[in-house]
C-alpha cells in the first residue's frame, strides 16, 4: 500500500518523487487519484511504461493491474473493487 490517500503519486529518480525508482527517468510516471478511479500517465521522453503487459502513455488502472517502470513491477490494488 503506497500513498492511497494522496491526490497524486510521482514516480521517478528525482529526490522529490513520492516513489523513487533507480532505473527510471527523473519524472517517469504520475498516478492520479480521482473520484472515478486512478489514472496512470507516462511522463518520460525515453524509457517506457507498461500496464497489463502493453506499452502505454496513459490508462485507467484496474484492480490487480501490473505497472512496469524502471525495471520494477508495481501491482495496483483498488480497495474499493
Amino acid at each position: 500500500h503506497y500513498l492511497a490517500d494522496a491526490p497524486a503519486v510521482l514516480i521517478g529518480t528525482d529526490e522529490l518523487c513520492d516513489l523513487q525508482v533507480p532505473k527510471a527517468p527523473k519524472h517517469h510516471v504520475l498516478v492520479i487519484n480521482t473520484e472515478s478511479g486512478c489514472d496512470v500517465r507516462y511522463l518520460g521522453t525515453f524509457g517506457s511504461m507498461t500496464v497489463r503487459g502493453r506499452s502505454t502513455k496513459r490508462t485507467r488502472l484496474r484492480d490487480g493491474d501490473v505497472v512496469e517502470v524502471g525495471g520494477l513491477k508495481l501491482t495496483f490494488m483498488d480497495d474499493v473493487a
Side-chain angles (χ1 to χ4, degrees):
H1 298 278
Y2 194 79
L3 297 177
D5 295 328
V9 176
L10 183 60
I11 302 170
T13 58
D14 192 278
E15 63 185 32
L16 298 176
C17 288
D18 302 299
L19 179 58
Q20 294 180 352
V21 177
K23 294 181 180 178
K26 191 172 185 174
H27 300 125
H28 190 55
V29 172
L30 182 64
V31 179
I32 301 169
N33 198 359
T34 69
E35 288 183 20
S36 59
C38 285
D39 295 329
V40 61
R41 294 181 188 165
Y42 173 72
L43 303 174
T45 55
F46 68 93
S48 65
M49 171 183 78
T50 62
V51 179
R52 294 176 225 119
R54 294 185 177 172
S55 182
T56 186
K57 294 202 182 281
R58 169 188 271 177
T59 193
R60 171 65 46 104
L61 292 173
R62 300 184 301 216
D63 188 50
D65 277 351
V66 175
V67 180
E68 296 183 48
V69 293
L72 293 179
K73 293 182 179 183
L74 308 168
T75 302
F76 176 74
M77 297 170 62
D78 186 352
D79 291 336
V80 177

